[in-house]
Amino acid sequence: MLPDLDQLKDSVLASIDEAGSLDELDAIRVDALGKKGSISTAMKSLGQLEGDARREAGQALNTIKTAVADAIDAKKAVLARAALDEKLATEKVDVTLSPRPEPEGRIHPLSRTLEEVTAIFAEMGFTVAEGPDIESDFYNFTALNIPPEHPARQEHDTFYLTPDDEGKRKVLRTHTSPVQIRTMEKVEPPIRIIAPGRTYRSDHDATHSPMFHQCEGLVIGKDIHMGHLKGCLIDFCRAFFGVDDLPVRFRPSYFPFTEPSAEVDIGCSREGGGLKIGAGDDWLEILGSGMVNPKVLENCGIDPDEYQGFAFGMGLERIAMLKYGIPDLRPFYDSDLRWMRHYGFLPFDPPSIHLGLNPGGAK
Amino acid sequence: MKFTWSWLKDHLDTSEDMATILDALPMLGLEVESLVDNAASLAPFTIAKIETASKHPNADSLQVCTVNTGKGTIEVVCGAPNARAGLVGVFAPVGSYVPGIDLTLTEAEIRGVTSNGMMCSEREMMLSDEHDGIIELDDDAPLGESYAEWAGLNDPVIEIAITPNRADCLGVRGVARDLAAAGYGTLKPLQADPVKAEGDSLITWNIDASAADLCPRVTGRSFSGVTNGASPRWMQQRLNAVGQRPLSALVDITNYIMIDLGRPLHAYDADKISGDTLTIRLAKDGEEFTALNEKTYKLDGEMITIADAHGADDLAGIMGGERTGISDATTSMFLEIAIFDQISVATTGRKLNLNSDARYRFERGLDVTSPDTTMDYVSAMVVSICGGTASAITEAGAGADWQRQIAYRPARCAELTAVDVAPAKQAEILETLGFTVSQNSADDWAVAPPPWRGDIVGSADLVEEITRIVGFDAIPEVALPRLNVVAAPAVDAAQKRPHTIRRLLASRGMMEAVTFSFLDAKTAQRFGGGDLALTLVNAISSDLTTMRPTIMPNLLAALMRNNARGEADAAIFEVGPIFPADGPEDQRTSTAGLRVGMTAPREWTGAARPVDWADARADAMAVLAGLGVNTDSLQTTTEAPDWYHPGQSGALCQGRKVLACFGAIHPAVIADYDLKGPAAGFEINLEDVMLPKAKGPARPLAQLSPYQQVSRDFAFILDRSVTSEQLLRAIKGAGKPLVSSAVVFDVYQGKGIADDAKSVAVAVTLQPTKATLTEDEIEATSSAIVAAVAKHCGGTLRG
């Protein structure tokens, strides 16, 4: 006897809807679709019908069977999700705990500054030249037009190494200027180099360190004049400090290896106690420079009637301190981790022209 | 170089104010170092006299004084021990600001007595630290007048830095000359009427042949009947202002002229000179003399001295002798105005470590004509201040050969500096500075520098003189011509490496340090260096005497300091020079890293563990990989320097060449540096690592096999002396080309294994490239691996 199909459908779907667990749902499935289930039993009784009645009842039963199967699947997903939710609720953690430690390294401000300086001068066509820290008297002084007993020598506070058997004593270079000589001896003009490196003077107090860093510059060509010196160094200062209208002042000075010689000052303001680089009522000395002395060119075998050029030198610590607001010199060499964490730079944001010279790309 | 504003105006006729001059000086190359202008702060202070002083009724340490201020008499309470009736001092009335105590005075009741101002000490006016009592002035100081005016303290004091080439500006007159040339006034003529000469000089000059080349010219004369009392007030005030202590008139005159004209002089007491001749000669080796500073110096045969019949008593150009020096009782003075060789003076001063204002000027170079051109000026000053009569002039030496012509083209100025200065203007500037210009033709000038400009030797010097007077502001800004449209790299492959390594190691959590290139001798020796040739003779501290043979001791010391500050866990590195020897090619660029303590601070995941040799090996291999080394091809030896743990250190080699060493730091070294935990480090000399061959930017084609890779694990029993490197080499060799990787995943030694053996488990990955592997192929490769391990390593599969 075929049951009332509508009633059968409604009753099975209602029980699916009410099922509270996957087990319950499975029992309902067996009751409806199992071998002896209500729908399967109704299917079996189709044989008692004839012709159109059998076909119609069969179609109706199939529709019911599909609807029930879909309803079970849907309910299963709902129940599974609820079970998962319940399980996950027991896995709650304290997400405010610190993550696994990943120590962060830092680049020293001097290395950072050197990279910035190099990036700017690279843009102006300079390449990097190098020379030894232990120098001969000739390269450090004589070739640079500083003969023995010259008063300028006394101002260098030179470190001397133990003399050799012949009484010759080497020096720790007091400036990076010897690299000018080494370069001009090796390379035919035109020349455009910077030479950064360690330098040494026997001076140790709050503002002097026995070892410090300089960056030398040298440009030699047939018609390089002091206007180029001025343009080049103004361009550098404005790019390095990131101040487009930075005032830059050139004052006459004296270096034995340049003639004329100029000290370079940048504008600053000390209003309110803090130092601000830029237009202001005061000046800061940051560079020495000048046109290469003809005698120095001659010492290097370059004809001063054919070639001329300019040279400059700056203290890397000084420009780093000014740019990054580092007040004291001595901690540069002390490796105090607290200082390194504070003033050091992350390694993944190096200075470049296209992405900016300053960390984070800030002007 | 210090001078006062009024002193400058003695030489410079100018209507410019001081601010304008102060702005002008640095642009001429004369950097202003300081300005002390007391005029405003000292304005309230006047001269007053204590008429009576009596004990304060309520305080033992105070006195109540009646003070005559010149305008009336008032009552002042004073605590100074020297306050007494009759004292003439400095008075600050009610309402004045007293800088030394940072107080504006009010009418105050002090212990019941009203005080109407105060009598001041030098410290209260911030003139010095003197605070033992109130200032005591001359009895005849004018009451009621401005103290600053009377004492000459309202004359602003200017200090300028003089570069070594500008010896001419070590005198006020030279500074005035520069300002005049730049249009800030005119240089006044030097007032120098010749004094009347009476009789021959008591002393005559003789230049010995030994010193003929070193003393081209000397003049002198004696002054008889002089009175050597105190110098005039104006002179004392100026000398005090520039930091020269007034002594006596004759000495003060020589010091005054030294500042005024930059011309050091020497005055002898003529009566103390033995004989009637002073001889300028080279000293005898070992000859001694006692200088005015009361120290005795032993001279050598290269030093110029001035001697009388008794012997040497002057170190030429540096310091006079005590024996023939001026005293207050001197009545007969002999004056020396000489030129000595600059280098000789500098050498002597350096050898004897004797500095003086005179030496400073002599070694920079004087006006070589000054023995003749300043004699009248000096003589007039001596006679007018000290009285007496001057003798005829005595002289020796033909004079320095200073006159020279510099060939010059006016176009040179624009060629060198890009500043166009009309030739007429160029000539005018040079002439105002004392040069003589002969214009043979438009582009052929002969320029003769003045005798006070020994620094001028070539046309570039003339261009500098012209442009600094015109002003460097006139130099145009010209961008350097661009060499390439797209800028080329500034560094080559080798120079790029330090930058790469810094980023790499910082990315691995290490802090970059920059430490000194020198360290103490004992440490240098301990770490494989310390050659005498690398040792400083004039180190500033015994900690910094010797060039470092390696960076490692500096990192150890750095972490010791950090440990002591409570930073227990740290990782630092440095990239910098080391000095195996002292030749220009010997210096190496090295990198070293050091980790100490735990890999991380203690925290809740428990990830932190003590650092060990494997951390250092990882750092070293990362650096080598960063430098382009194929680290798969490296061999490891156990040879590392003796500051590493002998059983936990090694070297990474290419063939026989050591590229890096690494390891746990030797426990004895850890103890020496008082490190609070384990430490491990590495060292790599960059020059030891060959630059990779330049192959261009293109990569070889990637070989990505479509066939499934297969993993097989093996566990071998091996003798403990067999290294994992040997084992893996055997496995990879046997499994070629199928084995794509072989990784040790477990090492065990202990229970169940023979005492001298260990079990090493290796995961081997086979990667077919032509077809999926069959079981037979896998089995054949496995057998080959087992056989190779047996043959090369004596290993057996663990049962």
Side-chain angles (χ1 to χ4, degrees):
Chain A
M1 181 63 200
L2 203 63
D4 180 329
L5 295 185
D6 285 341
Q7 200 189 336
L8 175 62
K9 178 184 168 192
D10 289 347
S11 102
V12 175
L13 289 180
S15 63
I16 289 170
D17 196 39
E18 281 161 20
S21 71
L22 287 171
D23 290 346
E24 232 175 281
L25 187 65
D26 200 49
I28 294 166
R29 184 186 60 77
V30 173
D31 282 353
L33 303 176
K35 277 183 185 163
K36 292 176 181 167
S38 51
I39 293 172
S40 308
T41 309
M43 287 289 217
K44 283 175 194 158
S45 63
L46 280 177
Q48 299 162 8
L49 299 179
E50 294 292 336
D52 283 354
R54 179 175 172 172
R55 190 174 43 82
E56 279 170 25
Q59 280 174 353
L61 263 177
N62 271 330
T63 307
I64 291 167
K65 191 179 172 185
T66 307
V68 167
D70 287 351
I72 288 171
D73 282 350
K75 185 68 181 182
K76 202 186 239 173
V78 169
L79 289 173
R81 174 63 200 240
L84 182 63
D85 285 350
E86 201 176 321
K87 177 170 177 277
L88 294 187
T90 67
E91 295 175 2
K92 190 173 168 62
V93 297
D94 175 6
V95 295
T96 65
L97 279 168
S98 60
R100 282 181 187 77
E102 287 172 31
E104 272 184 342
R106 291 283 190 282
I107 302 276
H108 196 283
L110 275 173
S111 301
R112 169 84 197 188
T113 302
L114 174 58
E115 282 208 60
E116 292 172 13
V117 169
T118 308
I120 296 167
F121 282 110
E123 186 67 12
M124 292 194 271
F126 286 72
T127 55
V128 172
E130 292 164 306
D133 294 20
I134 298 175
E135 266 298 2
S136 68
D137 187 276
F138 174 78
Y139 284 105
N140 197 70
F141 292 121
T142 311
L144 287 160
N145 197 32
I146 317 175
E149 303 303 342
H150 191 286
R153 267 201 193 199
Q154 295 161 24
E155 294 178 1
H156 275 237
D157 298 319
T158 312
F159 279 121
Y160 294 97
L161 292 149
T162 308
D164 63 15
D165 295 341
E166 292 165 27
K168 280 193 181 161
R169 55 179 190 179
K170 291 190 168 140
V171 303
L172 295 188
R173 65 178 177 190
T174 56
H175 46 184
T176 41
S177 307
V179 186
Q180 285 186 34
I181 305 298
R182 290 183 176 275
T183 303
M184 286 191 280
E185 282 182 344
K186 270 197 310 237
V187 183
E188 294 282 320
I191 293 171
R192 241 183 240 200
I193 55 126
I194 54 170
R198 293 182 174 209
T199 47
Y200 307 84
R201 294 196 188 188
S202 58
D203 212 347
H204 205 186
D205 57 35
T207 56
H208 296 89
S209 166
M211 184 193 92
F212 55 103
H213 294 72
Q214 282 191 346
C215 184
E216 194 78 6
L218 176 70
V219 177
I220 302 289
K222 290 205 167 162
D223 12 81
I224 297 295
H225 53 61
M226 209 162 171
H228 292 121
L229 176 156
K230 207 169 176 179
C232 172
L233 294 178
I234 289 175
D235 285 340
F236 166 76
C237 289
R238 289 181 178 163
F240 179 78
F241 289 104
V243 180
D244 287 342
D245 60 351
L246 179 65
V248 183
R249 177 174 86 163
F250 292 73
R251 276 185 293 114
S253 188
Y254 172 73
F255 306 104
F257 35 98
T258 53
E259 190 78 32
S261 304
E263 290 273 10
V264 183
D265 300 336
I266 55 170
C268 69
S269 149
R270 295 178 202 272
E271 258 173 52
L275 176 71
K276 188 169 172 286
I277 306 288
D281 54 3
D282 210 346
W283 296 96
L284 276 171
E285 187 179 309
I286 62 154
L287 266 167
S289 67
M291 298 302 291
V292 178
N293 193 311
K295 284 191 199 162
V296 174
L297 294 173
E298 280 170 17
N299 289 343
C300 300
I302 293 177
D303 181 359
D305 291 330
E306 191 178 355
Y307 289 104
Q308 60 185 37
F310 66 86
F312 57 87
M314 68 183 100
L316 288 177
E317 281 85 347
R318 179 164 174 77
I319 62 171
M321 289 165 80
L322 289 174
K323 178 167 180 174
Y324 289 109
I326 305 174
D328 300 319
L329 175 66
R330 292 201 214 184
F332 274 78
Y333 323 100
D334 194 43
S335 316
D336 184 333
L337 292 169
R338 298 166 301 173
W339 186 91
M340 293 150 94
R341 280 191 282 265
H342 184 85
Y343 289 111
F345 292 86
L346 289 167
F348 54 74
D349 189 12
S352 67
I353 297 296
H354 69 299
L355 298 178
L357 290 169
N358 293 333
K363 177 90 195 181
Chain B
M1 165 72 189
K2 278 186 182 175
F3 56 91
T4 72
W5 174 238
S6 74
W7 201 339
L8 178 66
K9 290 180 67 158
D10 278 3
H11 292 282
L12 183 70
D13 191 355
T14 183
S15 55
E16 304 287 355
D17 62 14
M18 189 168 69
T20 306
I21 297 297
L22 289 175
D23 284 345
L25 286 169
M27 299 314 283
L28 287 166
L30 305 171
E31 192 179 348
V32 177
E33 296 211 300
S34 69
L35 168 70
V36 178
D37 188 356
N38 288 323
S41 69
L42 292 179
F45 299 93
T46 57
I47 298 168
K49 182 177 184 180
I50 299 176
E51 301 285 5
T52 65
S54 54
K55 207 174 107 16
H56 190 290
N58 305 321
D60 286 346
S61 61
L62 297 176
Q63 297 189 76
V64 180
C65 306
T66 54
V67 172
N68 179 355
T69 65
K71 290 161 193 127
T73 302
I74 54 170
E75 211 161 67
V76 171
V77 177
C78 185
N82 62 334
R84 63 182 185 276
L87 183 149
V88 177
V90 177
F91 173 69
V94 166
S96 39
Y97 174 76
V98 181
I101 53 174
D102 189 23
L103 193 72
T104 300
L105 297 180
T106 53
E107 194 181 274
E109 201 163 282
I110 301 173
R111 297 279 190 106
V113 178
T114 302
S115 185
N116 300 288
M118 74 186 279
M119 298 297 287
C120 300
S121 71
E122 290 194 358
R123 192 170 79 189
E124 281 153 355
M125 290 187 284
M126 289 181 87
L127 295 173
S128 76
D129 287 334
E130 179 61 48
H131 193 53
D132 289 342
I134 53 178
I135 296 181
E136 298 190 30
L137 305 179
D138 298 347
D139 290 346
D140 59 357
L143 302 187
E145 299 285 303
S146 156
Y147 165 64
E149 177 124 11
W150 176 82
L153 295 173
N154 56 355
D155 193 4
V157 181
I158 299 161
E159 184 169 15
I160 55 177
I162 306 294
T163 52
N165 60 326
R166 294 305 305 277
D168 62 308
C169 286
L170 292 171
V172 182
R173 190 165 179 80
V175 177
R177 186 188 297 113
D178 254 30
L179 285 163
Y184 293 97
T186 50
L187 186 67
K188 294 180 184 174
L190 201 60
Q191 290 293 336
D193 293 331
V195 296
K196 192 175 161 222
E198 292 181 27
D200 287 339
S201 176
L202 299 172
I203 309 293
T204 53
W205 279 119
N206 171 39
I207 301 175
D208 183 71
S210 67
D213 293 343
L214 302 176
C215 176
R217 180 72 177 163
V218 61
T219 62
R221 77 190 332 167
S222 56
F223 295 83
S224 300
V226 295
T227 308
N228 190 24
S231 59
R233 164 169 289 286
W234 63 267
M235 183 176 276
Q236 292 196 28
Q237 286 169 355
R238 282 188 175 172
L239 289 174
N240 271 321
V242 302
Q244 294 276 350
R245 193 162 59 95
L247 294 168
S248 67
L250 289 172
V251 175
D252 291 357
I253 288 169
T254 61
N255 285 333
Y256 185 87
I257 297 289
M258 178 175 72
I259 306 291
D260 193 48
L261 305 182
R263 173 61 258 197
L265 308 169
H266 186 58
Y268 299 84
D269 186 326
D271 295 334
K272 294 179 185 167
I273 295 173
S274 294
D276 56 8
T277 304
L278 280 176
T279 299
I280 297 168
R281 60 166 167 81
L282 288 182
K284 297 165 190 144
D285 267 330
E287 192 170 6
E288 288 191 355
F289 105 110
T290 303
L292 283 168
N293 62 7
E294 298 174 0
K295 288 184 183 156
T296 300
Y297 295 91
K298 192 176 261 185
L299 311 184
D300 70 29
E302 292 179 338
M303 299 175 176
I304 318 170
T305 185
I306 298 167
D308 61 6
H310 189 272
D313 201 49
D314 184 285
L315 203 50
I318 301 176
M319 198 170 279
E322 195 180 31
R323 177 168 59 82
T324 56
I326 293 288
S327 74
D328 291 350
T330 297
T331 57
S332 194
M333 184 269 273
F334 180 70
L335 173 72
E336 165 200 316
I337 313 182
I339 297 297
F340 300 111
D341 181 74
Q342 292 169 238
I343 291 173
S344 171
V345 171
T347 311
T348 301
R350 182 174 54 74
K351 278 188 199 164
L352 298 177
N353 194 21
L354 179 52
N355 290 306
S356 69
D357 291 326
R359 172 189 164 190
Y360 194 81
R361 287 168 173 79
F362 267 100
E363 66 190 14
R364 281 162 178 74
L366 302 178
D367 174 349
V368 289
T369 62
S370 56
D372 296 286
T373 57
T374 61
M375 180 54 94
D376 287 337
Y377 183 74
V378 179
S379 299
M381 196 175 284
V382 171
V383 172
S384 81
I385 291 173
C386 300
T389 56
S391 75
I393 293 169
T394 170
E395 58 183 50
D401 178 19
W402 62 274
Q403 286 181 309
R404 58 201 184 277
Q405 303 279 334
I406 296 168
Y408 183 68
R409 286 179 298 113
R412 189 74 195 119
C413 184
E415 286 170 11
L416 203 54
T417 66
V419 180
D420 266 319
V421 183
K425 179 69 182 167
Q426 294 192 35
E428 183 196 323
I429 289 170
L430 290 172
E431 279 163 357
T432 322
L433 288 169
F435 292 75
T436 308
V437 179
S438 313
Q439 304 189 24
N440 302 324
S441 71
D443 59 359
D444 175 19
W445 292 10
V447 179
W452 55 82
R453 290 305 299 269
D455 60 306
I456 304 287
V457 294
S459 61
D461 300 306
L462 300 176
V463 170
E464 176 172 69
E465 291 306 299
I466 293 160
T467 42
R468 84 182 168 84
I469 296 298
V470 169
F472 278 9
D473 286 347
I475 301 169
E477 292 175 41
V478 183
L480 271 180
R482 211 171 161 90
L483 298 176
N484 303 96
V485 173
V486 176
V491 294
D492 63 24
Q495 291 168 333
K496 186 179 177 180
R497 290 173 144 194
H499 298 279
T500 309
I501 293 170
R502 285 188 188 106
R503 289 206 196 111
L504 187 150
L505 290 173
S507 302
R508 297 176 60 81
M510 306 182 90
M511 293 284 184
E512 189 193 1
V514 174
T515 67
F516 286 153
S517 299
F518 25 46
L519 34 66
D520 68 278
K522 202 176 140 207
T523 302
Q525 283 155 15
R526 170 71 188 83
F527 285 83
D531 273 6
L532 202 57
L534 291 161
T535 302
L536 300 175
V537 292
N538 61 337
I540 50 165
S541 125
S542 61
D543 290 340
L544 305 172
T545 59
T546 310
M547 303 311 289
R548 63 184 186 187
T550 156
I551 296 172
M552 188 56 77
N554 285 358
L555 299 186
L556 287 162
L559 289 191
M560 174 177 74
R561 291 192 297 272
N562 280 292
N563 269 189
R565 276 189 287 260
E567 299 264 8
D569 311 314
I572 62 172
F573 73 97
E574 179 172 356
V575 185
I578 58 167
F579 304 88
D582 68 341
E585 306 299 329
D586 293 329
Q587 185 173 323
R588 293 283 173 272
T589 301
S590 186
T591 183
L594 182 66
R595 296 175 183 269
V596 68
M598 303 291 282
T599 54
R602 199 156 61 116
E603 47 74 65
W604 68 276
T605 67
R609 54 168 177 76
V611 301
D612 60 23
W613 64 271
D615 294 311
R617 183 180 160 113
D619 290 332
M621 290 187 56
V623 171
L624 292 178
L627 295 177
V629 173
N630 174 9
T631 50
D632 287 343
S633 68
L634 292 173
Q635 293 94 53
T636 312
T637 71
T638 54
E639 278 160 40
D642 66 1
W643 47 91
Y644 290 99
H645 187 305
Q648 298 176 9
S649 61
L652 297 169
C653 308
Q654 241 169 6
R656 305 178 100 175
K657 188 173 179 194
V658 174
L659 302 190
C661 55
F662 65 89
I665 300 298
H666 198 292
V669 174
I670 290 181
D672 285 347
Y673 284 91
D674 201 17
L675 297 180
K676 308 289 190 225
F682 73 92
E683 290 155 83
I684 295 172
N685 292 347
L686 303 194
E687 287 84 353
D688 294 340
V689 183
M690 292 241 293
L691 287 169
K693 288 198 186 91
K695 284 180 283 197
R699 312 289 179 88
L701 200 62
Q703 303 290 342
L704 308 175
S705 171
Y707 305 105
Q708 184 69 36
Q709 62 178 28
V710 174
S711 252
R712 284 289 181 273
D713 291 352
F714 299 83
F716 294 103
I717 303 290
L718 297 159
D719 189 88
R720 284 191 189 178
S721 64
V722 176
T723 66
S724 71
E725 195 171 279
Q726 290 166 329
L727 175 66
L728 295 179
R729 197 181 303 137
I731 292 171
K732 286 176 184 169
K736 265 183 194 168
L738 276 178
V739 173
S740 62
S741 87
V743 178
V744 173
F745 67 89
D746 188 45
V747 178
Y748 173 77
Q749 46 196 43
K751 205 178 160 197
I753 307 266
D755 281 351
D756 54 357
K758 61 182 173 183
S759 161
V760 179
V762 183
V764 177
T765 304
L766 307 179
Q767 176 62 68
T769 54
K770 296 194 174 72
T772 303
L773 285 175
T774 64
E775 270 308 317
D776 286 351
E777 284 170 317
I778 296 169
E779 190 49 44
T781 304
S782 296
S783 302
I785 286 172
V786 172
V789 171
K791 182 179 173 195
H792 298 295
C793 308
T796 54
L797 267 184
R798 190 175 175 185

